[in-house]
Amino acid sequence: MTPGAPIVLGLLFAVGAAAAGDGLPGARALLLAWHEDPRRIDRARALLEAAATADPAPETLVELARVWFLTGDFRARGDGERVEAYMRGSEAARRAVAAAPDSDRAHLWLAINTGRLAELRGIVGAVGLLATLREASATVLRLNPSSVDGLIVAGGLAAELPPLLGGDRTRAEALFRRALAADPHQTGGRLELARLYLATRRWRDAGRELQRVVGEPAPTDLPRWTVSDMPRARAMLTDLYERGRLTGPPQAP
């Protein structure tokens, strides 16, 4: 099968999905437990593409931007397919922003998809994306200062950018902590906080946060925790112990 075939086939399947008439509710139902069968992402994307063609409502476009992000993270094979997925996610989010400029979730998914593109292109190749990323991230928090995902995106920017481009690890920690105070079960944000502690050689703090991710009893995003956050946290914890950064029994969450 040629590169990009899963995405192309998914778009062709949208014709059949339109007849099903499930649209946005059907896609959301599929995504509730996509970790049980990741192909549900493809089916949800097909439903949303068909729904957005028939009626490009902002809410549908926002969910489409989200599902293209999931495609890039969990269904794409290789960087080429990932770039295509995040670009399509960014485009869907832009359409949502144009239709509903006061939708913080539209700006959020524009920021998240643009951020993934920036990661793939590296610091030099991402320069042209930074203005979009900063503006979208700032707009999310202007529209909804308590947005947990918005705080995590802003924290990620502050943590990853060099100081000359606005990076500030102290601010990043504060943003991650605000997000986790609002939603302690948001394991993606906790994993980002742990990564920040690793970057600043705060091994015990990193170990504590990673242990909490691994032992999280009620993750906000169960599919992502199951497939990504928990395995990553476990691997990072193992690495800390193997390198002698942590000793003794695992810390209590």
Side-chain angles (χ1 to χ4, degrees):
M1 191 173 287
T2 58
I7 291 176
V8 172
L9 290 175
L11 292 175
L12 291 175
F13 179 66
V15 175
D22 287 335
L24 183 58
R28 285 177 169 166
L30 284 167
L31 295 175
L32 281 175
W34 65 257
H35 60 294
E36 295 175 358
D37 179 1
R39 291 173 298 180
R40 292 177 185 177
I41 294 173
D42 306 332
R43 296 198 290 271
R45 188 179 67 242
L47 286 173
L48 290 165
E49 287 285 3
T53 298
D55 178 15
E59 197 172 5
T60 300
L61 292 170
V62 167
E63 200 68 19
L64 181 59
R66 176 191 170 216
V67 85
W68 273 116
F69 167 77
L70 291 174
T71 299
D73 269 19
F74 299 107
R75 298 297 288 156
R77 298 177 302 180
D79 285 352
E81 287 188 7
R82 280 190 278 274
V83 167
E84 180 181 359
Y86 301 135
M87 287 183 67
R88 288 178 178 270
S90 296
E91 177 57 28
R94 288 181 190 279
R95 292 172 64 195
V97 167
D102 290 335
S103 167
D104 62 287
R105 293 189 69 244
H107 293 277
L108 173 71
W109 286 106
L110 176 58
I112 290 175
N113 279 287
T114 303
R116 279 293 196 265
L117 284 171
E119 290 174 10
L120 285 171
R121 293 180 181 178
I123 196 67
V124 175
V127 170
L129 298 171
L130 286 181
T132 297
L133 183 49
R134 285 198 189 100
E135 181 181 359
S137 175
T139 302
V140 174
L141 294 181
R142 177 176 59 78
L143 293 170
N144 182 6
S146 62
S147 168
V148 172
D149 289 326
L151 290 166
I152 293 170
V153 170
L157 267 176
E160 297 296 333
L161 289 176
L164 286 176
L165 293 177
D168 182 339
R169 286 175 170 172
T170 299
R171 180 170 180 269
E173 181 178 0
L175 287 164
F176 290 144
R177 287 190 169 279
R178 279 178 59 193
L180 292 170
D183 182 359
H185 306 291
Q186 225 295 356
T187 54
R190 196 169 298 284
L191 196 57
E192 290 302 307
L193 179 59
R195 290 181 64 240
L196 176 64
Y197 288 149
L198 290 173
T200 52
R201 304 174 68 86
R202 294 165 61 179
W203 314 124
R204 300 299 294 180
D205 289 336
R208 180 190 65 245
E209 299 304 328
L210 291 170
Q211 191 64 46
R212 291 188 69 175
V213 173
V214 170
E216 174 56 57
T220 299
D221 188 341
L222 177 61
R224 190 171 193 92
W225 175 81
T226 303
V227 174
S228 179
D229 293 347
M230 188 267 289
R232 285 178 63 198
R234 181 171 287 162
M236 292 160 74
L237 264 177
T238 298
D239 184 67
L240 281 173
Y241 279 103
E242 289 180 348
R243 290 175 177 270
R245 308 298 191 190
L246 295 177
T247 57
Q251 304 168 67

